Amino acid sequence: MYLNCHTYYSLRFGTFSEKELLRLAQENEVTRLVLTDINNTSACLNFVRLAPDFNVTPILGIDFRNGIDPCFVGIAQNNEGFMELNNFLSRHLHQQKEIPPTAPKFQNAYVVYPFEKVLLHEIDHLGEKEFIGVSIKDLRKLPFSKLSNLKNKLVVLQPVTFRHKSDFNAHRLLRAIDNNILLSQLEKTEEASEDEKMFPITNLAAAFSEHPHILENTESLLRSCHIFFDFSENRSPQNLRTYLGSQEADEALLEKLCQEGLPYRYPDGGEGILERLEKEMKLIKEMGFVSYFLINHDIVSEARKRGFFYVGRGSGANSIVAYLLRITDVDPIELDLYFERFINLYRANPPDFDIDFSHRDRPEMTQYIFDRFEHVALLGTYVTFKERGVIRELGKVFGLPKREIDALCEGGYSPKSSDDISRLVIKYGRLLMGMPNYLSIHAGGILISDKPLHWFSATHLPPKGFPTTQFDMVIAEDVGLFKFDILGQRGLSKIRETLDIIAYNQPEKANSFDIHNVRKFKTDRSVNELIKTAQCMGCFYVESPAMRMLLRKLEVDNYLGLVAASSIIRPGVAKSGMMREYILRHRNKGRAEEKGHPVMLDIMPETYGVMVYQEDVIKVAHHFADLDLGEADVLRRGMSGKFRSREEFDKVRLKFIDNCRKKGEPDSVIFEVWEQIASFAGYAFAKGHSASYAVESYQTLYLRAYFPLEYMVAVLNNGGGFYRAEFYVHEARMLGGIIHPPCVNQSFHVNAIYGKDIFLGFGYLRELELRVSERILKERGKNGSFSSLEDFLDRVGISIEQISILIRIDAFRFTGVNKHQLLWKAHLFLNKSTKIDHPKLFPPKHQDFKIPHLHTTHLETAFAELELLGFCLCSPFDILAEPPKNNRCAADLERFLNNYIDIYGYLVTVKNTKTHHGKRMHFATLVDQKGEVFDTVLFPPVAANYFFRGKGVYRFYGKVVSEFGFLSIEVVKMQKQDYIQDPRYADMKTSTKVFSKKPMT
């Protein structure tokens, strides 16, 4: 009897989930129920999936409104009707058009107009499938209305939005948040009526007892509706079924493409290749995944045609078919990758490919996919109310001052000391926590469906301009829709741009190598030496301090070692304590035999019996606990957070324990193995994923080894990486580059390189307007370089404020005129109060002003760079108020091993963390006076007394220690060093600083 039910996917309006709605229906003995969220279908699929558990027949519809003003309710008779409603809603959402007061003539959907709206809009003609909805509060008006004569058109329309008073209060808060106003300012017209509740079916029937025809009409409408989506384990995939139109043609094409790929991937043949291919092809055909491979092949083939770089990642890298089709660059034979992690007969899900493109190329490839295939949409996701966000929103709604809101967000809450309003914020904050706030886009998921996507939900149109589903990845998989992950990655942009830079800076070497020939890079001594010595600044996935430390400890100097390191560094392995154990076993081969369980050693000999990859969860569960492959995959997915059924996961966990006990394994071993699985499975990589990362790492390491300056410029031009831009500039200098500040004749918006000379881009000048740099480049490109400041001012329209920035950064140093003199000239040439936005038509004759001879110190230049670039191009040690008392550096650490050292360092990065007991500690990476990197650690007793206060030079006193050959300093005390007073604002007569311009090398 309830035709208009809302969940909290009626965003910032509804107050509970679709599961709670079904529970409410069960409590009130309601067996047929229509879910009609406001302009939203996010909950629909899961509502249908869950309904049988509550003995409810689900029916789907949409409450069409403008804002919260009701227009009509659409109710789907069947799946075709649901698609009609979705088509209609999507059109209005895409075009941002208001919903009209009257509905179109749906073929397979009913329309119910609210009683008040029929009167307001004087709707006097109703179609066969159109009805008038009467709520309980409308009953007192019905006898006095002409609508009472339309007996066969009246149905019950009692909205359901709340369960109790608390829900209504939450609703009012959501409405205030949505309107960005104080709760006291919320008008009644912006709220739902408090009586929008579900009553027991007998009570509802009693309320309408004088109008039995209304109950009969409603019951008839409900019984004529039927919705079905298949959520069974044996459901058919809903992705595009065939690529060429028939299964036979698809299979023939896949066979052909694999045969064509064999000589490219395996020119010298190899043992087991054809057997592995035959095994995979048989399974891929059997599981109906042929079209999935062909679609991915289509996408990457188009990328290669357009000259785009990509990396295929995910469990797809476990497949030789994917390797032959060039979807991935990881050889599964070489790595003995576990194919069953990718596809197995127990897994309905298709293989998982993550295809990374350059962040510059990804939009174009996304557009290609939408143009190439018929039924395409981006996958949606929900942004929920998080703790701090909801407290901040409610704080504003209740009118709390900002300082009190900040205190609550930081956890400054005590029930005894807080006032009533703060307590309300906390109370209702807990209630709203986890509710969906707004719809967003999955990071990279694209759906390519056999049916129109509106068969499953409406779509909205986010700023990216591509239709996006109103449901998320989990329910998509439940209904048989499996995403294609098309991701953007800056690492690939760096590779691509490096090749472009090499083409103009060293054209004779541009064709001397193939960046895709990773097999050659894996055996390159120079590349492997960079890995072994952890000289990886700027290189994909291997440049962070933690990774640098791990590479040194493992002494990794080969591809397989890097694949393992890429997974060991993940939080799960480290958290379980197995990262340390792996290092110990790696450095002492006898330890594995001594400490490792024989079964674990037999399952994972290459990782010394330590679980490192996601596949290891499957292997251990299958071989150690005798679970079948399907059950083992339930464990893996359950721990990754991507699995739906907690009950099924718990069942498999109990079977894991029972099976091990039946085999005679002691509980101590069983639970030790289980804890290893549980602690890292959610964070671990698939081995193929790690291998894909390692391939990209090798590509970037090769470029760093042989084209270091070009590579560093590309890194800077693509947003850097783990570190600040300043340190990539420093690294370029250490690699032989000559760094120049921006120049109006040599620089672009990004950095440019000419031989070994690197000119920083205008983009680093934080106060320089983009349109000014665009004008400079356009004029320079059209009419050539600038010969003088006067020539520049004649040709480029610019204000005195903007030209001052360029002069202060020394962008006119080619003139040979001191910057102070240039500033005087600029002020004399430009009227400070007038902003000139266009160049002069004719170059005027300039008066030759007599300006006294001025000079600039290198110290002034350093502080101007600090102000304008955010860092200086000289050594930061040269601008200290007091020169360092010693010149000790990273090279001295070995000499001071197990002794105390006094050393200065310029802060690169700090990792703030906490011990298991919640105490604060720090790991810091610094650069010494010669430009080399060293590492420090501040344990809790020291961290409690000493703090890092932003970037700058610090003096440390601490003990040099070694862990597995990696040297670091356990700090005892430290002190931040002061810079000299800025000479531009200080009395230079009082400064005794002697300054020589030299970089930090």
Side-chain angles (χ1 to χ4, degrees):
M1 289 296 172
Y2 289 96
L3 307 182
N4 187 204
C5 300
H6 303 129
T7 72
Y8 53 33
Y9 290 103
S10 293
L11 300 172
R12 300 187 179 187
F13 187 96
T15 54
F16 50 87
S17 69
E18 66 275 28
K19 189 172 183 177
E20 289 301 317
L21 175 62
L22 288 164
R23 186 175 287 118
L24 189 65
Q26 190 177 47
E27 290 169 1
N28 289 287
E29 300 179 338
V30 175
T31 56
R32 290 177 180 271
L33 193 67
V34 188
L35 172 65
T36 56
D37 273 317
I38 297 171
N39 296 347
N40 192 297
T41 57
S42 296
C44 289
L45 291 175
N46 203 39
F47 178 73
V48 174
R49 186 185 76 87
L50 292 172
D53 298 340
F54 296 87
N55 298 315
V56 170
T57 299
I59 301 168
L60 299 180
I62 299 170
D63 188 346
F64 292 98
R65 300 192 182 195
N66 292 313
I68 67 159
D69 182 33
C71 297
F72 49 85
V73 174
I75 301 172
Q77 282 182 272
N78 47 39
N79 289 65
E80 286 76 11
F82 186 50
M83 186 167 75
E84 281 187 80
L85 295 176
N86 288 332
N87 284 335
F88 178 75
L89 175 60
S90 301
R91 263 196 315 274
H92 285 78
L93 292 179
H94 290 199
Q95 298 170 16
Q96 296 183 331
K97 287 169 56 179
E98 284 204 341
I99 304 293
T102 57
K105 302 301 178 189
F106 296 117
Q107 298 300 309
N108 295 281
Y110 297 113
V111 171
V112 181
Y113 293 101
F115 181 83
E116 294 285 357
K117 292 296 179 180
V118 176
L119 296 174
L120 178 66
H121 297 296
E122 299 180 347
I123 299 173
D124 52 11
H125 177 74
L126 294 171
E128 180 189 350
K129 297 179 184 297
E130 294 180 325
F131 296 87
I132 301 167
V134 181
S135 68
I136 292 174
K137 70 176 182 179
D138 294 328
L139 286 174
R140 63 179 183 272
K141 302 177 187 175
L142 184 61
F144 309 102
S145 168
K146 62 181 181 179
L147 299 181
S148 62
N149 298 322
L150 302 173
K151 290 190 175 182
N152 65 332
K153 288 296 183 182
L154 300 177
V155 293
V156 177
L157 192 68
Q158 173 60 29
V160 177
T161 308
F162 316 119
R163 293 165 297 182
H164 37 59
K165 177 72 174 177
S166 183
D167 278 352
F168 179 66
N169 290 340
H171 163 78
R172 295 186 69 237
L173 293 170
L174 288 168
R175 299 305 307 135
I177 290 171
D178 192 49
N179 285 278
N180 195 27
I181 56 176
L182 294 171
L183 184 61
S184 59
Q185 296 174 322
L186 186 67
E187 297 179 7
K188 283 292 179 184
T189 54
E190 282 294 324
E191 301 174 11
S193 173
E194 193 175 350
D195 63 3
E196 292 191 4
K197 295 177 182 175
M198 184 180 288
F199 305 100
I201 203 71
T202 52
N203 293 24
L204 189 66
F208 282 85
S209 59
E210 295 182 15
H211 308 276
H213 56 281
I214 298 180
L215 295 173
E216 290 166 10
N217 294 341
T218 309
E219 184 67 20
S220 175
L221 187 155
L222 286 169
R223 289 195 176 279
S224 68
C225 297
H226 177 71
I227 286 284
F228 175 76
F229 290 101
D230 188 359
F231 293 99
S232 68
E233 287 186 9
N234 300 318
R235 67 189 180 278
S236 299
Q238 299 298 311
N239 288 53
L240 184 60
R241 300 280 177 86
T242 64
Y243 178 72
L244 292 176
S246 76
Q247 186 177 331
E248 295 74 19
D250 280 4
E251 290 179 0
L253 177 59
L254 188 61
E255 293 271 12
K256 176 174 174 284
L257 292 171
C258 287
Q259 292 302 317
E260 290 173 354
L262 280 168
Y264 175 79
R265 290 302 196 186
Y266 299 103
D268 303 321
E271 187 179 347
I273 294 170
L274 295 178
E275 291 82 356
R276 173 67 175 261
L277 176 57
E278 185 179 345
K279 172 188 172 183
E280 286 195 23
M281 285 295 295
K282 182 173 181 293
L283 197 52
I284 290 167
K285 291 175 184 177
E286 193 172 340
M287 297 294 290
F289 296 152
V290 173
S291 65
Y292 191 86
F293 277 83
L294 292 175
I295 291 168
N296 276 288
H297 173 262
D298 181 294
I299 293 167
V300 299
S301 297
E302 181 64 24
R304 287 200 305 277
K305 283 179 192 173
R306 300 188 186 202
F308 294 168
F309 281 78
Y310 66 89
V311 169
R313 294 189 290 106
S315 60
N318 290 36
S319 166
I320 195 171
V321 173
Y323 185 54
L324 294 174
L325 267 56
R326 298 182 69 176
I327 298 170
T328 72
D329 279 321
V330 174
D331 182 354
I333 302 293
E334 176 188 18
L335 292 173
D336 189 27
L337 293 179
Y338 194 53
F339 181 61
E340 284 73 16
R341 161 65 179 88
F342 181 48
I343 303 178
N344 62 66
L345 288 172
Y346 302 91
R347 185 179 179 186
N349 300 15
D352 176 27
F353 289 115
D354 297 341
I355 304 178
D356 289 350
F357 292 96
S358 156
H359 71 289
R360 303 181 196 281
D361 301 335
R362 178 191 176 197
E364 196 172 324
M365 287 308 302
T366 302
Q367 185 64 60
Y368 168 75
I369 294 167
F370 272 82
D371 294 340
R372 173 70 178 81
F373 301 101
E374 186 176 1
H375 304 308
V376 185
L378 299 184
L379 185 58
T381 189
Y382 320 118
V383 177
T384 58
F385 283 106
K386 299 290 195 301
E387 184 175 7
R388 289 191 178 190
V390 78
I391 288 174
R392 198 165 289 284
E393 291 284 7
L394 290 181
K396 288 191 290 183
V397 163
F398 283 116
L400 284 179
K402 183 178 182 301
R403 57 183 174 77
E404 291 187 32
I405 295 174
D406 291 341
L408 286 174
C409 286
E410 294 301 323
Y413 166 72
S414 166
K416 293 180 181 178
S417 61
S418 295
D419 57 27
D420 290 343
I421 292 180
S422 294
R423 280 194 287 273
L424 283 173
V425 169
I426 298 298
K427 175 184 174 182
Y428 283 101
R430 293 188 183 119
L431 184 63
L432 301 186
M433 210 90 69
M435 282 189 186
N437 186 6
Y438 59 89
L439 286 167
S440 186
I441 308 172
H442 183 276
I446 296 180
L447 300 177
I448 303 175
S449 172
D450 204 56
K451 293 187 176 79
L453 266 303
H454 290 164
W455 181 265
F456 304 96
S457 94
T459 55
H460 65 295
L461 202 66
K464 288 192 174 184
F466 295 110
T468 303
T469 66
Q470 292 188 329
F471 55 81
D472 70 0
M473 176 185 77
V474 176
I475 192 64
E477 288 193 6
D478 287 342
V479 82
L481 279 170
F482 301 98
K483 61 186 170 63
F484 293 77
D485 277 312
I486 307 299
L487 302 161
Q489 191 210 106
R490 290 182 181 273
L492 295 173
S493 305
K494 296 168 189 175
I495 295 173
R496 172 64 188 271
E497 185 162 347
T498 303
L499 300 183
D500 293 340
I501 294 171
I502 292 168
Y504 79 74
N505 200 47
Q506 297 194 61
E508 69 284 359
K509 295 183 180 178
N511 297 316
S512 63
F513 65 97
D514 176 6
I515 196 65
H516 298 292
N517 187 6
V518 182
R519 190 184 297 268
K520 175 186 173 185
F521 303 161
K522 292 173 186 174
T523 57
D524 189 291
R525 288 186 180 181
S526 298
V527 174
N528 285 321
E529 185 62 23
L530 286 181
I531 300 172
K532 186 175 181 179
T533 56
Q535 300 297 308
C536 306
M537 177 77 87
C539 296
F540 177 76
Y541 204 71
V542 291
E543 65 167 332
S544 71
M547 194 66 175
R548 186 169 51 83
M549 175 178 67
L550 179 61
L551 294 177
R552 292 292 293 270
K553 289 179 178 180
L554 289 173
E555 298 178 324
V556 172
D557 63 352
N558 59 74
Y559 171 65
L560 295 179
L562 189 58
V563 172
S566 296
S567 194
I568 293 165
I569 195 71
R570 298 286 289 172
V573 189
K575 181 182 175 184
S576 68
M578 296 312 292
M579 181 167 81
R580 179 177 175 79
E581 185 61 29
Y582 180 92
I583 297 169
L584 286 166
R585 294 184 188 185
H586 176 77
R587 295 177 71 94
N588 178 9
K589 301 300 189 282
R591 183 180 174 88
E593 300 294 332
E594 178 187 337
K595 297 283 187 180
H597 189 285
V599 173
M600 304 283 272
L601 286 169
D602 186 53
I603 296 170
M604 300 166 290
E606 66 180 82
T607 57
Y608 317 112
V610 174
M611 281 183 285
V612 169
Y613 308 110
Q614 279 185 356
E615 289 89 338
D616 295 338
V617 174
I618 296 177
K619 288 181 180 180
V620 170
H622 183 55
H623 296 289
F624 180 69
D626 291 339
L627 299 181
D628 64 40
L629 289 171
E631 292 168 328
D633 202 44
V634 167
L635 277 188
R636 181 194 66 77
R637 286 172 63 76
M639 289 173 174
S640 72
K642 296 180 181 178
F643 196 66
R644 167 77 74 179
S645 173
R646 191 74 217 173
E647 296 82 4
E648 188 176 358
F649 174 75
D650 288 337
K651 194 189 302 180
V652 173
R653 181 180 65 84
L654 291 172
K655 188 174 179 181
F656 178 99
I657 295 167
D658 289 344
N659 284 4
C660 291
R661 283 173 174 164
K662 286 175 186 174
K663 290 173 68 177
E665 295 287 353
D667 278 7
S668 59
V669 173
I670 295 170
F671 287 103
E672 180 188 345
V673 172
W674 176 258
E675 283 305 315
Q676 283 185 40
I677 293 174
S679 64
F680 98 95
Y683 295 98
F685 277 169
K687 188 175 181 181
H689 196 85
S690 291
S692 301
Y693 271 27
V695 164
E696 190 174 342
S697 296
Y698 260 88
Q699 289 174 313
T700 59
L701 285 159
Y702 178 84
L703 293 173
R704 181 193 155 98
Y706 290 98
F707 304 94
L709 299 184
E710 288 83 357
Y711 181 66
M712 281 301 148
V713 170
V715 168
L716 284 162
N717 288 352
N718 286 279
F722 187 88
Y723 306 98
R724 302 194 302 270
E726 170 184 4
F727 292 101
Y728 296 110
V729 172
H730 166 68
E731 189 72 6
R733 183 188 291 112
M734 295 291 288
L735 292 167
I738 303 165
I739 312 298
H740 301 275
C743 171
V744 293
N745 277 339
Q746 301 289 342
S747 292
F748 295 85
H749 189 72
V750 295
N751 305 283
I753 182 171
Y754 309 95
K756 292 188 176 183
D757 291 290
I758 298 172
F759 285 82
L760 299 184
F762 295 126
Y764 287 110
L765 297 170
R766 294 176 288 187
E767 296 177 12
L768 189 72
E769 296 170 3
L770 177 61
R771 61 177 181 168
V772 170
S773 64
E774 288 173 345
R775 278 185 202 151
I776 295 169
L777 297 176
K778 183 178 179 181
E779 173 58 28
R780 196 176 78 201
K782 185 178 180 182
N783 295 312
S785 297
F786 304 103
S787 60
S788 64
L789 175 65
E790 292 85 351
D791 181 39
F792 179 90
L793 294 174
D794 285 340
R795 292 163 55 186
V796 178
I798 192 169
S799 69
I800 187 63
E801 291 83 8
Q802 293 289 293
I803 192 67
S804 295
I805 293 168
L806 291 170
I807 293 172
R808 285 159 56 209
I809 201 62
D810 227 4
F812 291 91
R813 57 192 175 279
F814 65 90
T815 64
V817 180
N818 179 271
K819 67 171 73 172
H820 289 309
Q821 292 175 271
L822 290 175
L823 280 169
W824 271 106
K825 282 189 176 185
H827 276 273
L828 291 168
F829 275 87
L830 296 176
N831 184 334
K832 192 173 182 180
S833 63
T834 305
K835 190 171 183 179
I836 301 170
D837 285 328
H838 55 83
K840 301 177 178 69
L841 289 176
F842 302 102
K845 292 182 179 180
H846 298 298
Q847 188 174 348
D848 187 14
F849 296 105
K850 297 297 182 184
I851 297 171
H853 183 69
L854 302 167
H855 68 277
T856 307
T857 68
H858 293 312
L859 202 55
E860 287 178 288
T861 298
F863 277 91
E865 290 167 351
L866 269 176
E867 179 187 344
L868 298 171
L869 299 174
F871 55 91
C872 57
L873 299 182
C874 65
S875 169
F877 296 93
D878 288 336
I879 56 174
L880 292 178
E882 293 185 11
K885 298 288 193 296
N886 63 66
N887 60 0
R888 294 190 189 103
C889 56
D892 296 311
L893 294 188
E894 196 163 351
R895 181 163 60 89
F896 280 85
L897 183 59
N898 297 321
N899 289 298
Y900 290 86
I901 190 171
D902 179 5
I903 189 171
Y904 291 78
Y906 181 59
L907 186 63
V908 175
T909 184
V910 179
K911 180 184 179 183
N912 302 309
T913 186
K914 289 185 178 180
T915 66
H916 290 300
H917 302 294
K919 294 185 177 179
R920 187 170 54 88
M921 64 179 295
H922 310 295
F923 295 94
T925 301
L926 302 106
V927 170
D928 68 20
Q929 295 176 62
K930 292 186 177 179
E932 301 295 341
V933 171
F934 67 95
D935 293 88
T936 63
V937 57
L938 280 69
F939 287 113
V942 177
N945 296 314
Y946 296 96
F947 302 87
F948 286 100
R949 295 183 289 113
K951 61 182 185 178
V953 176
Y954 292 79
R955 184 182 183 183
F956 298 91
Y957 180 74
K959 186 178 182 181
V960 179
V961 296
S962 174
E963 186 180 30
F964 305 119
F966 180 78
L967 299 174
S968 62
I969 301 171
E970 293 181 356
V971 176
V972 173
K973 56 184 179 179
M974 75 174 190
Q975 182 182 51
K976 188 174 186 183
Q977 305 297 290
D978 293 328
Y979 285 152
I980 191 171
Q981 193 173 358
D982 189 336
R984 298 170 302 167
Y985 309 111
D987 182 357
M988 289 301 290
K989 292 179 182 178
T990 65
S991 175
T992 57
K993 176 73 179 176
V994 177
F995 180 80
S996 60
K997 185 179 180 182
K998 63 176 186 290
M1000 188 168 50
T1001 54

